[in-house]
């Protein structure tokens, strides 16, 4: 039996089931609210916001060119990954390379407190460079 909201009847059924079966129960809990959540986005609001941002762009052709280039790059990388995946031994080698790099990254940046601070400062400086505030 699955009970998602705590009511008296639900709790009673859970206790009776527990007493009768003498087995541990899996209890699933779901928080609910009687009010409407404010996270839903109105489609008209989204489109007007996008239209305002698009109207504010000066070089529309450049944005379209970069967007098209990004789509082509994702498509080509998908083809490349598919070709690499079809070679019998290469996917396993790539997995080992990925695991090795992940292990190195954890050892280099996440294992010690000083290196975590260094990573945080590197990320902050990269954010500033991207935002153009540095």
């Amino acid at each position: 039996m699955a009970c998602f909201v705590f009511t008296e009847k639900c709790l009673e059924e859970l206790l009776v089931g527990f007493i009768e079966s003498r087995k541990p129960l899996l209890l699933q809990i779901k928080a609910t609210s009687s009010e409407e959540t404010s996270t839903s986005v109105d489609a008209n609001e989204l489109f007007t916001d996008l239209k305002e941002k698009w109207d504010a762009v000066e070089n529309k052709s450049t944005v379209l060119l970069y967007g098209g280039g990004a789509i082509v790059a994702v498509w080509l990388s998908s083809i490349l990954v598919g070709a690499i995946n079809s070679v019998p031994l290469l996917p396993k080698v790539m997995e080992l390379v990925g695991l090795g790099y992940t292990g190195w990254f954890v050892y280099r940046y996440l294992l010690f407190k000083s290196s975590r601070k260094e990573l945080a400062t590197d990320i902050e400086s990269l954010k500033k460079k991207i935002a153009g505030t540095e």
Side-chain angles (χ1 to χ4, degrees), residues 105-123:
F105 184 85
V106 166
Y107 175 76
R108 172 68 177 90
Y109 290 111
L110 302 178
L111 203 54
F112 304 108
K113 187 176 183 177
S114 61
S115 59
R116 285 193 299 267
K117 287 181 182 178
E118 178 187 349
L119 178 64
T121 57
D122 288 346
I123 290 173

Side-chain angles (χ1 to χ4, degrees), residues 30-47:
K30 179 181 177 185
T32 60
S33 174
S34 61
E35 298 177 11
E36 183 78 21
T37 59
S38 63
T39 58
S40 62
V41 177
D42 185 26
N44 291 331
E45 180 182 333
L46 180 67
F47 287 129

Side-chain angles (χ1 to χ4, degrees), residues 22-108:
R22 302 263 185 208
K23 295 179 184 176
L25 293 176
L26 294 176
L27 183 61
Q28 297 178 356
I29 301 171
K30 179 181 177 185
T32 60
S33 174
S34 61
E35 298 177 11
E36 183 78 21
T37 59
S38 63
T39 58
S40 62
V41 177
D42 185 26
N44 291 331
E45 180 182 333
L46 180 67
F47 287 129
T48 56
D49 187 39
L50 286 175
K51 186 176 183 314
E52 289 173 5
K53 289 185 189 279
W54 180 250
D55 290 339
V57 172
E58 293 177 9
N59 293 331
K60 291 181 174 64
S61 60
T62 305
V63 171
L64 290 174
L65 186 65
Y66 282 152
I71 290 171
V72 169
V74 167
W75 176 65
L76 286 175
S77 64
S78 172
I79 290 173
L80 181 66
V81 167
I84 288 173
N85 200 23
S86 67
V87 177
L89 190 58
L90 206 50
K92 295 297 179 188
V93 171
M94 292 301 208
E95 281 184 33
L96 287 175
V97 168
L99 284 172
Y101 182 77
T102 302
W104 173 83
F105 184 85
V106 166
Y107 175 76
R108 172 68 177 90

Side-chain angles (χ1 to χ4, degrees), residues 13-27:
E13 288 177 10
L14 283 172
L15 289 174
V16 169
F18 179 72
I19 291 170
E20 289 176 355
S21 67
R22 302 263 185 208
K23 295 179 184 176
L25 293 176
L26 294 176
L27 183 61

